[in-house]
Amino acid sequence: MSTLDRARRHLKAHPLTLDAAIAAGVLVCMVAGSFVDPHGEHGVSWGVRTPDPLSLVLIAFASVALVFRRRAPMTVLALTGTFSLVEAVTSDPRAPVAMSAVIALYTVAATTDRSTTWRAGLLTMTVLTGASMLAGPLPWYAQENLAIFAWTGIGATAGDAVRSRRAFIHAIRERAERAERTREEEARRRVAEERLRIARDLHDVVAHHIALVNVQAGVAAHVMDKRPDQAKEALAHVREASRSALNELRATVGLLRQSGDPEAPTEPAPGLDRLDELVGTFRSAGLRVEVARADHGTTLPAAVGLAAYRIVQEALTNVQKHAGTEAKAEVSVVRVGPDIEITVLDDGKGEDGDPQTGGGHGLLGMRERVTALRGTLTTGPRYGGGFRVHAILPVKTRTAVTQSPGDPV
């Protein structure tokens, strides 16, 4: 850091020191100006004169007042204006005390608003110029009187320009900071949404397959000694369910890979076209499931198809976990106008037949999926026992609506 930069930083950290230095510089200028006489016998010829003692006293007081110009700008303007007014009316030859009033007026304009600047500037300009022209020792048209009018106007204008520039820079900086905060908040929101989506997908995949593995492992342990063939079949189902779980986990985790990593699996997300395969896994685990479909010919967007698949998967998993071994499930998929309705019923009589009391996240995940597609989800116990899951999903999502009629859905 250079010496100039260090000095600038020190003065910015100690504004009173800077004001004292400015006041000292103004004092030197006013004292030097009080000893200079621009009026000679043959027009304008610079010479030396002896200032009035009162002028030197007024110069000293005005310079001291300028030290506090940032702390009390209006008070300093009133004091320096008064000193300048006294000097303009009484002193002959005149000393440039009005320079302190110009500096004070500049400070008022730079630190207050425009209306205050107009009022203070017009009042200072009118009083000092009028007093100099009407009550001063010089003729009203003297250059010194016109100079007071000009310099007070310049001080007010310069201060207002500095204030406007500071306000502009502050607005730009604030806008940039606000934009940065908005980007950070948007990034955090997207990260949170992505974490929720991944957690929901992992829950759907793991809960379903682990439930099947648990059931088939229990069957294999129960019949291992008496019916080894049935135990071997149950273990085969365990192996198949675990393989499917690993494949889906690999596909989900593959989305988290970096750009330089190997490509993630390109297998399409599951939809209702794989509903029979899904139901088959539950039937092989011993759950009685009936399926009724009235949606033939309906092509669903990928997001809707995946949501419908996961809803059926989670609902049947809950039946498998909570409804008891004798429970029967019914799955219906019906196209109703612009929507598709998925209903999963069971007649479970188990001790933990209500998934809402299980403390899991399955129903919450289903609700998040449906809400993301602007659909509706209704869940609750059935009269006489069992549980009901009913979801209404729009066939055309917001993304699909924006596509042209010839685009593939």
Side-chain angles (χ1 to χ4, degrees):
M1 183 182 298
S2 64
T3 304
L4 182 61
D5 292 336
R6 285 196 297 268
R8 186 183 295 112
R9 178 171 296 183
H10 176 76
L11 292 176
K12 186 177 294 185
H14 301 83
L16 188 62
T17 304
L18 177 60
D19 291 338
I22 292 175
V26 174
L27 174 62
V28 172
C29 293
M30 289 191 295
V31 171
S34 65
F35 281 92
V36 175
D37 183 13
H39 302 286
E41 297 179 357
H42 306 286
V44 179
S45 61
W46 300 96
V48 179
R49 65 181 180 181
T50 302
D52 189 71
L54 179 61
S55 297
L56 296 178
V57 173
L58 294 174
I59 288 174
F61 286 160
S63 300
V64 173
L66 287 179
V67 176
F68 307 97
R69 65 187 185 92
R70 294 179 193 263
R71 296 186 177 182
M74 295 299 296
T75 303
V76 172
L77 177 60
L79 290 175
T80 55
T82 301
F83 298 149
S84 301
L85 179 62
V86 172
E87 194 276 336
V89 173
T90 62
S91 299
D92 186 18
R94 184 179 295 173
V97 182
M99 182 184 296
S100 61
V102 172
I103 300 298
L105 181 58
Y106 165 85
T107 305
V108 170
T111 56
T112 60
D113 56 277
R114 181 161 294 173
S115 61
T116 303
T117 301
W118 273 97
R119 291 194 296 268
L122 289 176
L123 180 61
T124 304
M125 183 186 302
T126 302
V127 171
L128 294 184
T129 305
S132 300
M133 289 182 174
L134 300 177
L138 298 175
W140 69 270
Y141 53 84
Q143 292 182 358
E144 286 84 349
N145 298 334
L146 298 178
I148 292 176
F149 177 85
W151 280 108
T152 51
I154 292 174
T157 304
D160 183 73
V162 170
R163 181 194 55 79
S164 300
R165 181 177 178 274
R166 289 174 181 171
F168 178 71
I169 294 176
H170 177 73
I172 292 178
R173 184 179 293 110
E174 185 179 16
R175 190 180 301 115
E177 292 175 354
R178 185 165 58 250
E180 185 67 23
R181 289 195 301 269
T182 302
R183 284 194 295 269
E184 292 176 357
E185 292 172 358
E186 179 67 15
R188 286 195 295 268
R189 185 186 64 81
R190 292 190 178 187
V191 169
E193 290 180 353
E194 186 66 12
R195 291 177 61 187
L196 287 175
R197 186 192 66 79
I198 294 174
R200 186 170 57 237
D201 287 344
L202 289 177
H203 172 271
D204 292 342
V205 171
V206 173
H208 164 61
H209 291 290
I210 295 302
L212 295 182
V213 168
N214 181 57
V215 171
Q216 295 294 345
V219 172
H222 182 70
V223 301
M224 179 67 71
D225 297 331
K226 298 180 180 180
R227 286 173 287 180
D229 293 339
Q230 188 175 353
K232 184 182 297 184
E233 182 180 355
L235 292 177
H237 288 306
V238 168
R239 183 175 57 186
E240 183 64 26
S242 61
R243 183 185 298 113
S244 298
L246 289 175
N247 291 335
E248 294 201 35
L249 282 174
R250 188 179 298 111
T252 301
V253 176
L255 299 176
L256 304 178
R257 293 176 176 172
Q258 302 295 327
S259 58
D261 294 340
E263 295 185 358
T266 58
E267 181 181 355
L272 289 181
D273 54 338
R274 296 176 56 184
L275 181 59
D276 293 338
E277 177 184 346
L278 174 65
V279 172
T281 60
F282 284 98
R283 287 173 177 165
S284 63
L287 179 65
R288 294 179 296 164
V289 185
E290 294 183 1
V291 180
R293 301 189 63 171
D295 64 325
H296 301 291
T298 300
T299 302
L300 299 178
V304 178
L306 176 61
Y309 181 90
R310 295 303 188 195
I311 289 170
V312 174
Q313 182 186 52
E314 180 61 31
L316 292 179
T317 301
N318 287 337
V319 174
Q320 185 83 47
K321 293 166 59 179
H322 303 288
T325 57
E326 301 298 325
K328 176 183 177 182
E330 299 177 4
V331 179
S332 66
V333 181
V334 182
R335 172 70 182 268
V336 181
D339 303 322
I340 188 166
E341 298 187 8
I342 298 98
T343 305
V344 180
L345 307 174
D346 71 81
D347 57 357
K349 301 289 193 299
E351 296 180 357
D352 191 18
D354 188 354
Q356 297 181 117
T357 63
H361 301 280
L363 296 181
L364 178 60
M366 282 193 286
R367 193 171 302 280
E368 289 176 348
R369 288 185 182 276
V370 173
T371 302
L373 297 175
R374 294 191 174 182
T376 58
L377 177 70
T378 304
T379 62
R382 297 176 61 194
Y383 178 77
F387 199 78
R388 177 178 181 268
V389 175
H390 179 68
I392 301 177
L393 302 175
V395 174
K396 292 185 178 181
T397 61
R398 286 175 292 177
T399 303
V401 169
T402 58
Q403 295 176 336
S404 61
D407 292 338
V409 179

